[in-house]
Amino acid sequence: MRTAHFTSSLAISVLLGAVIAPEPACLSIPSEGQRPALATHVQDWRDEVIYQLIVDRFADGDVNNDFNVAPGNLGKYQGGDWRGIVDHLDYLQALGITTLWISPVVQNVDSDADIDGYHGYWQQDLTQVNPHFGDLAGLRAMVAAVHDRGMKVVLDIVCNHMGQVFFYDINRNGRPDDYVNGSGGPGDPIVQVSEYDPPWQPGGVLSFSQEGTSGPAPVLFFDDPSINRLPPQPAALATAGAYHGMGHIENFNDVGQRTLGDFTGGLKDLATELPQVRAALIDAFATWVENVDFDGYRIDTIKHVESDFWPVFAGATRKRLAAENKTRFLMFGEAFDGNDALIGSYTGPGALDSVFYFSQHFTAFANVFENAGSKSTAQGTAQIEQLWSQRKLDYGTVPQPDGIGIAPYKALVNFIDNHDVPRFLFASHGDTAALHNAITLLFTEDGIPNVYYGTEQDFTGGNDPANREVLWTTGFPTDGATFAHIAKLARIRKAYLALRRADTKVVWSSADAGTESDAGIFAFERAGGDAGGGAYALVILNSSGLKASSTSNGGSVMQTSQPPGTKLVDVLDPRQASYTVDGMGKLGVTVPTQSAMILVPASQVVQGT
């Protein structure tokens, strides 16, 4: 009967002249709607130039997700998105960037205390995208577009905490309060308490009344869809037992507080020692890699997590992704600290591949380069040599199993400034010559260079949020001096293998920063190592903002490893000036104030860089 009915209907349709559309053989799903096949897109991370961008501040490519934006108010959403990144990949490649480190992609607590979670560190739901930046298809399309150009994408993640997803019901009235307790009389001090963010209590935050304490304060999760304030996801993170519940850190030097306390601003500290919490974090973030094809993690606040978490997290992540053809997956962490040994401890056996080289930020870029223009603040370069001499002692000296294939001490992520510290030009009072000199060190030293977005446009913001400016209002010019300097250094670094993979030996540093002949000089050779026996470069910087200085002091002249008579060419100099090593292998040169030389043997010069 069905066949007869169909035939009859078809005949009638033909008679009536109706157009019958053929039934499609199959449904074609656009690539951005499909889960990508994972692949390894990088050979050696030392060949990369990383660009850190805050998605909300880089480029606004889609006005359809511009909701609750407040242009000009840097504590609020500004409207940047993943589409904006795609629209400006030409700009990034012109700068010499090969890897993008993007801010977190997961759904955040949208706003708290009139400040927005635009930065991504107030995570609420690890399974959903932040709709301010686009949808999953848009995220996939962005990463695919980056990969199509031979570039890579590193995802920023947080394992230490969630956003302010609950409050401590200290007075047990079922709602969050800020209040004052106590009479101020003998034995009854006045205490101001915020149930959103109470201070550290070693045994956990307690409830109390006028009669005294009354046991642990109940943990009550927010659940208000009208303001997008919802319980956290995945479900394993939506129970009070998934958190330490001890209130916010008051002493960051106390290891117990640092690893168990809530982070500044009421960010709730996860009980990362629990197997179920570890499993939830490993799975949630690995799922993002599987869904989008990211190439690595930058991991926030690693020193606030117990140290034995990292081998578990890193090992399980590597094993899972390797089974899906994703290898050499970079994991580097952020420990905001100047203690080199502490930072390096997170690159121990089986742990992270690398870390943000914060100790160098303080020692080299802040102490030496930011202070170079003032006689009263100038410091010598010997402290940089001392710091570098600790690398093999403080950082892992063998590659992590199934990691990136490079020992951590050779793969440190070097940076001048970032979103957590004032920009270099703010701290140096606008000293662009010092900035250019610092960038030269960044691109020629051992490790992986990381450029903070806006540096190329001479941004000068101070502390957060002033250092998180909107980039698209500049119009993305490519003709500025700092942009050109970064682009040139990226070309030089790409052309000379020694600057990427060779070993490093400091051949001159100076404790002096005044009128001495070598004040401000810092010189190092890049030779051999993973670059091969013939590769060589000699980098000489004069950090002094006060005078030209020389690679000599008294009767002492800088000793090189090059044979007598070797002709070295300065490939940073547009004139490509040359210098000859003397009969004893020494090289005495004078470097203008806040300038540098990158010297390579004449036989190795690559034209056109």
Side-chain angles (χ1 to χ4, degrees):
M1 291 295 293
R2 289 181 179 176
T3 301
H5 175 73
F6 174 77
T7 303
S8 176
S9 298
L10 177 60
I12 293 171
S13 297
V14 171
L15 288 172
L16 294 175
V19 177
I20 305 299
E23 184 178 351
C26 62
L27 180 65
S28 178
I29 301 175
S31 59
E32 59 268 24
Q34 302 177 38
R35 180 168 164 169
L38 299 193
T40 300
H41 300 281
V42 66
Q43 293 185 342
D44 190 315
W45 279 99
R46 292 170 296 181
D47 295 341
E48 302 301 310
V49 177
I50 299 175
Y51 184 87
Q52 178 198 358
L53 63 86
I54 298 175
V55 173
D56 182 61
R57 304 300 158 91
F58 180 71
D60 186 356
D62 184 359
V63 296
N64 294 305
N65 53 43
D66 288 357
F67 58 94
N68 293 338
V69 298
N73 183 344
L74 294 183
K76 297 284 190 177
Y77 277 100
Q78 298 300 295
D81 48 45
W82 298 316
R83 179 67 219 181
I85 296 173
V86 176
D87 292 343
H88 293 91
L89 291 177
D90 286 344
Y91 169 86
L92 292 168
Q93 286 196 299
L95 188 60
I97 302 305
T98 65
T99 293
L100 306 183
W101 153 20
I102 65 171
S103 51
V105 301
V106 299
Q107 185 171 307
N108 267 228
V109 172
D110 215 45
S111 188
D112 181 64
D114 295 322
I115 302 295
D116 290 350
Y118 66 88
H119 40 67
Y121 300 116
W122 294 353
Q123 55 193 12
Q124 172 177 285
D125 188 339
L126 304 186
T127 70
Q128 300 295 320
V129 297
N130 187 330
H132 286 274
F133 307 145
D135 55 18
L136 178 58
L139 180 58
R140 282 174 170 161
M142 183 273 287
V143 173
V146 172
H147 284 158
D148 286 345
R149 293 175 178 245
M151 302 167 74
K152 298 86 185 172
V153 185
V154 169
L155 173 66
D156 206 331
I157 67 170
V158 186
C159 293
N160 175 63
H161 58 260
M162 300 295 284
Q164 199 174 99
V165 292
F166 65 77
F167 67 95
Y168 299 92
D169 192 17
I170 296 172
N171 62 2
R172 293 180 179 265
N173 68 353
R175 65 173 185 265
D177 295 304
D178 290 304
Y179 64 94
V180 175
N181 191 70
S183 65
D188 188 23
I190 294 175
V191 179
Q192 184 171 359
V193 177
S194 167
E195 293 187 330
Y196 294 98
D197 189 21
W200 166 263
Q201 295 180 40
V205 175
L206 298 175
S207 60
F208 62 84
S209 64
Q210 290 183 344
E211 285 72 37
T213 58
S214 53
V219 164
L220 300 185
F221 288 93
F222 295 103
D223 190 359
D224 187 349
S226 68
I227 59 170
N228 191 35
R229 203 72 177 269
L230 301 170
Q233 294 294 326
L237 307 183
T239 64
Y243 301 85
H244 288 125
M246 295 187 180
H248 70 243
I249 304 166
E250 295 191 307
N251 179 4
F252 282 84
N253 293 319
D254 182 295
V255 176
Q257 289 196 41
R258 194 173 71 213
T259 55
L260 301 176
D262 294 341
F263 200 70
T264 303
L267 306 181
K268 301 305 189 278
D269 194 67
L270 287 163
T272 43
E273 72 277 9
L274 299 180
Q276 64 270 29
V277 173
R278 292 182 174 187
L281 292 170
I282 291 165
D283 178 68
F285 294 124
T287 298
W288 282 110
V289 179
E290 293 163 342
N291 281 333
V292 182
D293 197 20
F294 291 113
D295 302 293
Y297 293 151
R298 178 269 187 185
I299 310 173
D300 189 61
T301 52
I302 60 172
K303 76 173 184 178
H304 297 280
V305 179
E306 74 280 2
S307 59
D308 62 1
F309 172 87
W310 298 113
V312 175
F313 179 85
T317 299
R318 292 178 182 122
K319 181 179 180 180
R320 176 165 165 172
L321 298 181
E324 301 179 70
N325 299 314
K326 173 71 74 174
T327 58
R328 292 192 288 278
F329 186 82
L330 175 66
M331 283 182 272
F332 70 97
E334 176 253 353
F336 192 155
D337 204 295
N339 184 332
D340 198 59
L342 174 65
I343 298 169
S345 69
Y346 299 103
T347 65
L352 302 181
D353 299 294
S354 178
V355 289
F356 230 24
Y357 200 6
F358 246 108
S359 50
Q360 180 179 250
H361 159 75
F362 292 117
T363 298
F365 295 118
N367 289 357
V368 177
F369 289 92
E370 285 179 1
N371 289 321
S374 169
K375 184 180 297 185
S376 62
T377 61
Q379 299 184 30
T381 61
Q383 60 189 301
I384 306 176
E385 180 178 11
Q386 174 59 35
L387 177 68
W388 285 11
S389 72
Q390 294 295 115
R391 282 180 176 170
K392 287 186 178 181
L393 300 176
D394 292 341
Y395 299 88
T397 56
V398 297
Q400 302 293 7
D402 301 316
I404 62 172
I406 307 164
Y409 84 95
K410 291 184 176 182
L412 300 180
V413 177
N414 304 308
F415 71 103
I416 294 173
D417 52 19
N418 66 16
H419 61 302
D420 287 327
V421 297
R423 288 189 180 269
F424 184 96
L425 288 180
F426 178 88
S428 67
H429 306 288
D431 192 341
T432 55
L435 174 62
H436 291 185
N437 219 21
I439 292 169
T440 302
L441 175 61
L442 181 74
F443 274 78
T444 55
E445 65 173 314
D446 208 358
I448 307 168
N450 180 92
V451 177
Y452 184 38
Y453 88 100
T455 297
E456 73 277 13
Q457 300 299 343
D458 294 330
F459 278 11
T460 60
N463 283 301
D464 167 21
N467 57 354
R468 303 174 181 190
E469 305 97 319
V470 171
L471 184 64
W472 68 82
T473 56
T474 67
F476 297 95
T478 59
D479 57 355
T482 303
F483 188 103
H485 187 62
I486 293 173
K488 180 172 185 176
L489 283 165
R491 293 192 299 271
I492 291 173
R493 191 171 183 275
K494 183 177 181 179
Y496 297 98
L497 192 62
L499 295 175
R500 292 179 274 125
R501 304 190 194 179
D503 289 343
T504 296
K505 178 184 177 182
V506 176
V507 292
W508 196 276
S509 69
S510 175
D512 300 323
T515 59
E516 301 81 4
S517 61
D518 68 338
I521 291 290
F522 187 66
F524 55 95
E525 293 180 317
R526 301 292 308 273
D530 297 329
Y536 180 83
L538 171 61
V539 180
I540 309 172
L541 300 109
N542 177 15
S543 66
S544 175
L546 307 174
K547 60 182 288 294
S549 295
S550 303
T551 57
S552 62
N553 193 333
S556 180
V557 179
M558 181 176 69
Q559 181 72 50
T560 78
S561 63
Q562 293 299 286
T566 300
K567 182 180 178 181
L568 298 175
V569 177
D570 182 4
V571 296
L572 186 60
D573 182 354
R575 301 166 301 170
Q576 295 206 333
S578 61
Y579 306 86
T580 302
V581 176
D582 74 12
M584 300 184 67
K586 297 182 178 183
L587 183 66
V589 296
T590 298
V591 185
T593 179
Q594 292 182 317
S595 298
M597 298 176 176
I598 303 175
L599 304 175
V600 300
S603 60
Q604 297 181 21
V605 171
V606 177
Q607 297 299 331
T609 58

